[in-house]
Amino acid sequence: MSRRAGRRRESDLRRRPARREERRVYLVVCEGATEKGYFDSMRGHPEVRIHTVHVKRAKHPQRERVVRTAREADRDDYTEVWAVFDTDGDDVTVLCDRARGEGIETAPSTPSFETWLLLHLTDRRAALMTGAKAEKALKALLPGWSKGRTRFDDFSHGLQDALDRAESLPPGKDPGTEVHRLVRALLRT
């Protein structure tokens, strides 16, 4: 008989704590309907727990308003709060630094969110210059696409490519986006 076989095992009847993964919930404050449609449609994926807020559009860029809305949110309900907005070619470094200092993550896109969508379909390196040009390039690659009907599933086949391509682009340049940081957090990839 081996030594191990001869030992009696004592049982421990104390209850072990349940192993439950912490529920992560994200608040995503968006500048436009395109972003909201993309992130809202991610909710169907089991690992994504997200609440999106769309800031009503005015004639001028809404990035300050997006960050302010994120700042005013009840952050106790969320694991992370994100502000998603277009740079329209402007330098948003100060805005992003200030937001991060207040505990808000930022995901700007230059010139617009459509840059992120383009990266699902192509390795875009040439400057887009305006959101309208980004939209035109996206429609050329995906003729049925429209801003109001943007859905994650229409782009999910190129998600890994988009993540890799976005990471390789220089931050704050045209084209550029930090949406990959948010998507990685949501999908925990």
Side-chain angles (χ1 to χ4, degrees), residues 38-103:
Y38 182 90
F39 290 112
D40 276 349
S41 60
M42 286 182 84
R43 287 190 214 158
H45 298 269
E47 61 274 2
V48 177
R49 290 181 179 83
I50 185 171
H51 179 99
T52 57
V53 173
H54 174 221
V55 173
K56 299 298 178 200
R57 194 129 178 100
K59 290 186 180 190
H60 50 78
Q62 297 295 299
R63 55 187 165 261
E64 293 277 351
R65 192 177 208 187
V66 168
V67 171
R68 184 174 54 248
T69 300
R71 184 183 308 120
E72 294 168 354
D74 183 2
R75 291 192 241 164
D76 292 339
D77 295 338
Y78 303 102
T79 308
E80 292 180 14
V81 175
W82 285 78
V84 179
F85 52 87
D86 302 342
T87 70
D88 299 308
D90 296 335
D91 183 357
V92 295
T93 306
V94 172
L95 176 64
C96 292
D97 289 346
R98 188 177 42 190
R100 288 184 189 124
E102 296 171 346

Side-chain angles (χ1 to χ4, degrees), residues 170-185:
K173 301 295 182 196
D174 180 4
T177 183
E178 292 187 39
V179 174
H180 63 281
R181 295 177 47 246
L182 169 55
V183 172
R184 284 199 189 279

Side-chain angles (χ1 to χ4, degrees), residues 116 119 123 125 159-171 175-185 189:
W116 168 246
L119 293 175
D123 191 8
R125 301 283 173 168
L159 180 61
Q160 189 58 54
D161 289 332
L163 292 166
D164 295 341
R165 291 168 179 159
E167 285 178 353
S168 72
L169 293 173
T177 183
E178 292 187 39
V179 174
H180 63 281
R181 295 177 47 246
L182 169 55
V183 172
R184 284 199 189 279
T189 59

Side-chain angles (χ1 to χ4, degrees), residues 1-2 7 13 16 41 56 60-61 65 87 95 103 108 122 133 135 139-140 142 148 151 153 164 178:
M1 182 187 265
S2 74
R7 290 188 188 160
L13 299 177
R16 293 183 183 159
S41 60
K56 299 298 178 200
H60 50 78
R65 192 177 208 187
T87 70
L95 176 64
T122 187
K133 287 184 180 178
E135 288 176 37
K139 284 181 183 178
L142 197 63
R151 301 290 170 258
D153 288 339
D164 295 341
E178 292 187 39

